[in-house]
Amino acid sequence: MLLTSLLALAGTDAGLAPSGKWTVDYRADKCVASRPFGAEPATYIALQPYVSLDVIGAKLILVAPNIEGSGVRNGTAKISLQPASTEKTLGYVSRDSQLDGARSYEMSLDAGTMAQIGQATSLAITAGKEEVTLETGKLQPVIDAAEKCNDDLMRSWGVDPAARAAPLGNPGQWFTDDDYPPAAARRHVQGNATIVLTVDPNGEVKGCRIVATTGDADLDKGTCDVARAHARYVRKDGADRFSVLAVHWSL
């Protein structure tokens, strides 16, 4: 079920002013808070919290009219947060969209950067040839609404956000190139899967469910097989706990 939550946050006169309200989109596999700025074709800023119980952070996505041509580009973005005049430097991945003539700039925010952005009311972003200032209004209410959406998404998957299973080691190291599901690799299949692991009091995985599919049965099954083989969690008496992992399979 798709629900939409609207947050009316006013901007100021400097830079690009908002041309619409903040919208929190409850998608089937993620939550995205976004807002348009300026005249058509509009520039958008979006926040997408990580779908994880282990990592606090989000993707910050700038979508603007394409002035850089085609292809995928990597670079370093500079972001100025006002009114604190805090400068942040973040790596980005940029992609063009031939469909609507736009280009996206995607950056990763850790928990500390999220806290700083939450106090900002204006973002000045320089990424590649793109330079834009967005009068966002205070961003903490937007972050709070996106994180509430994320918790609601977890609950829709049968996951209690408070019942987090603590991993032993780094979950990112449980999935390696050598673990690529053979049947999918032979067919050159790639994709993103989100799985929910149910963890017993001994810290062992007792169940794995695909909640966002790669679209390929071999890749989905392989994701759960690898998780069952490698995932380990801290022992804790009491009821079962949960882990949510987003896995990107790429050749």
Side-chain angles (χ1 to χ4, degrees):
M1 179 179 182
L2 296 179
L3 303 176
T4 300
S5 172
L6 299 180
L7 296 173
L9 301 178
T12 60
D13 293 331
L16 283 183
S19 52
K21 296 179 179 180
W22 281 106
T23 301
V24 181
D25 188 2
Y26 281 57
R27 301 185 185 179
D29 59 346
K30 59 190 171 187
C31 295
V32 181
S34 64
R35 192 179 201 183
F37 293 81
E40 292 294 335
T43 294
Y44 287 80
I45 195 76
L47 279 166
Q48 179 185 319
Y50 295 139
V51 183
S52 171
L53 295 178
D54 299 314
V55 180
I56 298 175
K59 293 179 182 178
L60 176 67
I61 305 168
L62 173 69
V63 181
N66 186 8
I67 59 174
E68 296 202 58
S70 61
V72 177
R73 304 173 191 272
N74 295 275
T76 301
K78 294 183 179 180
I79 303 179
S80 176
L81 310 178
Q82 299 299 335
S85 296
T86 302
E87 300 285 338
K88 305 296 295 185
T89 300
L90 302 171
Y92 71 80
V93 177
S94 177
R95 299 177 176 85
D96 69 294
S97 171
Q98 297 179 355
L99 190 63
D100 55 12
R103 175 169 282 275
S104 64
Y105 301 82
E106 184 178 301
M107 295 151 270
S108 295
L109 308 178
D110 59 20
T113 304
M114 287 274 284
Q116 291 175 310
I117 284 181
Q119 300 308 306
T121 59
S122 174
L123 302 180
I125 302 174
T126 300
K129 296 179 180 179
E130 187 64 51
E131 294 185 22
V132 64
T133 298
L134 306 175
E135 298 301 331
T136 59
K138 193 167 183 179
L139 284 164
Q140 190 59 53
V142 182
I143 293 173
D144 292 343
E147 290 180 342
K148 178 184 181 301
C149 171
N150 224 30
D151 286 347
D152 290 343
L153 180 63
M154 300 287 181
R155 294 186 183 96
S156 76
W157 294 338
V159 173
D160 179 358
R164 171 184 172 271
L168 287 171
N170 180 0
Q173 297 177 348
W174 295 340
F175 298 83
T176 70
D177 291 344
D178 292 338
D179 296 313
Y180 210 107
R186 286 193 296 270
R187 294 183 289 107
H188 302 282
V189 176
Q190 305 178 101
N192 301 307
T194 302
I195 58 176
V196 170
L197 303 179
T198 304
V199 180
D200 68 20
N202 292 322
E204 297 181 355
V205 175
K206 62 181 285 188
C208 176
R209 292 182 288 120
I210 299 286
V211 292
T213 179
T214 63
D216 182 82
D218 290 328
L219 211 50
D220 284 352
K221 179 180 182 300
T223 305
C224 277
D225 289 345
V226 173
R228 289 190 181 96
H230 299 314
R232 295 293 181 271
Y233 293 86
V234 175
R235 295 170 59 95
K236 184 178 180 182
D237 293 337
D240 291 339
R241 291 161 294 141
F242 301 96
S243 180
V244 178
L245 302 177
V247 182
H248 173 64
W249 293 107
S250 175
L251 292 168

